[in-house]
Amino acid sequence: MPKAGGSMPSSLPTNWAPMTTIRWAGWLLSKPAVPRVRLVVDTGIHSKGWSREQAIRYFIDNTGRAEGGATSEVERYCSWPGQACAYKVGHNEWVRLREKARAALGDRFDIRGFHDTALAGGGMPLTVLERVVDDWVSTSRSSAG
């Protein structure tokens, strides 16, 4: 597990599962609700001094998750400071690079090729991922024209 100042954020966030929509108290929460709650909980524990129980209660109250699921997530954040933030930074960068490649390649953009390229190297620093994607864009441009 990386220590503070280690190799995170990485191009491979720890949770690749799609964000799901949640029903809570009769309301349909938007897809970003759970990641936002994760960020608040991670920060609450490590910056604001929240107790484990405080964090679990916040998670349950704001997502509608069962106690077991909320506890599991909170315990992960207790043992891995900044994990939720690293995941979100990696996600945002992945989306930014994908859109940058799409804009550069236009109709020649191939989502499968993008994913194959970006995933082929495994976890890597985000600056390296950007170089990998930029190289793929350059190669894609030259092979198409």
Side-chain angles (χ1 to χ4, degrees):
M1 179 178 315
K3 294 182 181 180
S7 63
M8 291 302 280
S10 162
S11 62
L12 294 179
T14 58
N15 180 1
W16 282 97
M19 297 173 209
T20 58
T21 302
I22 300 169
R23 290 196 179 275
W24 176 61
W27 293 93
L28 191 62
L29 299 179
S30 65
K31 291 180 183 182
V34 172
R36 287 180 183 149
V37 168
R38 289 174 177 152
L39 289 168
V40 170
V41 166
D42 195 356
T43 303
I45 293 166
H46 299 290
S47 182
K48 300 295 183 184
W50 287 8
S51 69
R52 175 182 172 273
E53 292 71 28
Q54 227 179 330
I56 292 168
R57 176 54 38 210
Y58 184 89
F59 206 100
I60 292 168
D61 290 348
N62 289 281
T63 66
R65 285 261 168 99
E67 187 171 350
T71 299
S72 175
E73 290 216 34
V74 166
E75 288 176 349
R76 182 172 70 225
Y77 304 129
C78 287
S79 65
W80 188 349
Q83 190 274 333
C85 183
Y87 168 83
K88 190 60 183 161
V89 168
H91 171 263
N92 287 350
E93 184 65 359
W94 186 270
V95 171
R96 185 187 75 78
L97 292 173
R98 183 187 64 214
E99 294 312 309
K100 178 182 170 185
R102 186 185 315 270
L105 294 172
D107 291 340
R108 293 175 296 184
F109 177 77
D110 174 22
I111 190 70
R112 289 181 186 148
F114 172 82
H115 285 151
D116 288 348
T117 299
L119 293 171
M124 64 188 82
L126 297 174
T127 54
V128 174
L129 177 64
E130 183 165 20
R131 285 195 304 265
V132 167
V133 171
D134 288 347
D135 289 348
W136 174 75
V137 167
S138 294
T139 301
S140 297
R141 278 182 174 158
S142 63
S143 67

